[in-house]
């Protein structure tokens, strides 16, 4: 009996996938997978599985979303088990809701399998807690890149004044604009900012600064996508963790990368 699974593959580290998500990979007849999915996970699939790459690069999509929707419906109507494998969580900037809606329109059975999103995992691997009772009791996940002409849909005023920590996805190319909006809405220019490139992977790299200088830091460090932007006082915990590890002569856990 056919079914479509909309599956979150996690933020990059293959071991961060859930047990349920792994089972969806193992039983699939067809896997449609995104660019940021760890390719090691595909080794868990059946030998005769059909693999369809649906990766999206900045300003270039291998397959349009409408085509992906069509393929999900097509394979399901052929009686196949289909796993739509997405980086992170399928409902956090993953267009999983659009795919679920399309499947529902065609009366196709589907299930959503949540995944660990990079807005939480990448900071954690960088030694930054997304919340901390002394530094930040609220956080928001924000799309740093919107469709052309839709910048104004982001309520930067509320984000700047009403939320302690911002986890900004897909924002590197728009970092100057993001910085400008936060400063225009009275966010302190000394607010710490961390940029985590390829978070949770072996290629993870972290650079940090403040709202005042972060654009220059990113240019000098040549940070590229994919990268997570974290804005808030919790970023300071990274330095505290580093100092404590040196003080007690005990290494920081391996999942935490403390080098710039």
């Amino acid at each position: 009996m056919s079914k479509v699974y909309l599956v979150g593959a996690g933020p990059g580290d293959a071991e961060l996938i859930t047990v349920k998500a792994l089972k969806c990979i193992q039983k699939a007849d067809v896997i449609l997978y995104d660019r940021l999915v760890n390719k090691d996970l595909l080794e868990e699939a059946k030998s005769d599985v059909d693999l369809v790459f649906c990766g999206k690069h900045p300003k270039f999509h291998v397959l349009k979303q409408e085509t992906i929707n069509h393929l999900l419906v097509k394979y399901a109507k052929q009686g196949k088990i289909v796993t739509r494998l997405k980086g992170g969580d399928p409902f956090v900037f993953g267009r999983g809701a659009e795919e679920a809606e399309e499947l529902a329109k065609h009366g196709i059975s589907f299930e959503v399998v949540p995944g660990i999103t990079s807005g939480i995992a990448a900071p954690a691997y960088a030694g930054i807690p997304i919340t901390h009772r002394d530094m930040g009791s609220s956080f928001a996940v924000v799309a740093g890149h919107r469709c052309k002409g839709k910048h104004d849909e982001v309520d930067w005023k509320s984000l700047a004044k009403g939320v302690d920590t911002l986890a900004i996805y897909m924002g590197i190319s728009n970092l100057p604009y993001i910085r400008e909006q936060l400063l225009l809405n009275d966010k302190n220019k000394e607010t710490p900012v961390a940029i985590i490139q390829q978070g949770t992977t072996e290629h993870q790299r972290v650079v940090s600064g403040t709202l005042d200088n972060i654009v220059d830091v990113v240019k000098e460090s040549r940070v590229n996508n994919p990268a997570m932007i974290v804005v808030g006082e919790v970023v300071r915990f990274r330095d505290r963790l580093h100092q404590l590890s040196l003080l007690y002569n005990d290494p920081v856990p391996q999942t935490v990368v403390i080098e710039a």
Side-chain angles (χ1 to χ4, degrees), residues 13 23 56 104 174 198-199 247:
D13 185 339
K23 290 180 179 179
K56 296 182 176 68
N174 282 342
Q198 298 191 53
L247 178 64

Side-chain angles (χ1 to χ4, degrees), residues 68-252:
I68 296 171
N69 293 349
H70 170 75
L71 290 174
L72 292 174
V73 172
K74 171 188 171 182
Y75 287 124
K77 286 186 174 181
Q78 291 175 356
K80 295 182 178 181
I81 301 297
V82 183
T83 291
R84 175 71 174 102
L85 196 60
K86 298 169 173 287
D89 179 272
F91 277 6
V92 179
F93 306 127
R95 296 194 176 183
E98 297 174 38
E99 294 168 358
E101 187 175 27
E102 186 70 14
L103 294 167
K105 285 179 181 178
H106 289 270
I108 293 170
S109 177
F110 69 91
E111 184 174 345
V112 179
V113 181
I116 298 174
T117 185
S118 57
I120 296 172
Y125 268 48
I128 301 169
I130 201 68
T131 65
H132 189 291
R133 65 178 181 173
D134 296 327
M135 300 179 179
S137 59
S138 63
F139 73 93
V141 294
V142 184
H145 173 76
R146 302 288 289 167
C147 296
K148 188 175 181 180
K150 292 188 177 182
H151 286 304
D152 292 341
E153 290 187 3
V154 178
D155 187 354
W156 292 108
K157 181 177 181 179
S158 296
L159 291 171
K161 303 301 292 184
V163 181
D164 295 322
T165 307
L166 303 178
I168 304 174
Y169 295 63
M170 306 171 290
I172 289 299
S173 62
N174 282 342
L175 184 58
Y177 173 82
I178 293 167
R179 171 190 176 275
E180 177 187 27
Q181 290 302 305
L182 291 174
L183 292 175
L184 284 175
N185 286 286
D186 298 324
K187 195 75 171 175
N188 191 320
K189 69 177 183 179
E190 297 303 320
T191 302
V193 182
I195 312 292
I196 308 161
Q197 180 179 320
Q198 298 191 53
T200 80
T201 73
E202 61 183 359
H203 303 295
Q204 175 173 305
R205 187 161 70 104
V206 184
V207 299
S208 59
T210 65
L211 271 180
D212 191 40
N213 66 8
I214 193 62
V215 172
D216 292 334
V217 169
V218 167
K219 287 181 180 178
E220 292 169 4
S221 304
R222 298 183 180 180
V223 175
N224 297 309
N225 284 308
M228 177 63 54
I229 304 168
V230 183
V231 181
E233 292 300 317
V234 293
V235 172
R236 299 189 193 280
F237 187 80
R238 173 181 165 83
D239 289 335
R240 182 192 298 184
L241 191 64
H242 191 184
Q243 291 167 5
L244 287 172
S245 69
L246 295 176
L247 178 64
Y248 292 101
N249 197 29
D250 189 23
V252 174

Side-chain angles (χ1 to χ4, degrees), residues 44-57:
E44 299 291 333
K46 297 188 296 186
S47 60
D48 59 348
V49 69
D50 288 330
L51 297 176
V52 181
F53 178 60
C54 303
K56 296 182 176 68
H57 297 264

Side-chain angles (χ1 to χ4, degrees), residues 18-38:
T18 66
V19 173
K20 189 166 189 174
L22 188 59
K23 290 180 179 179
C24 291
I25 294 172
Q26 293 169 338
K27 65 185 176 183
D29 300 310
V30 183
I31 297 176
L32 290 84
Y33 67 99
D34 283 348
R35 177 174 66 100
L36 298 181
V37 168
N38 190 315

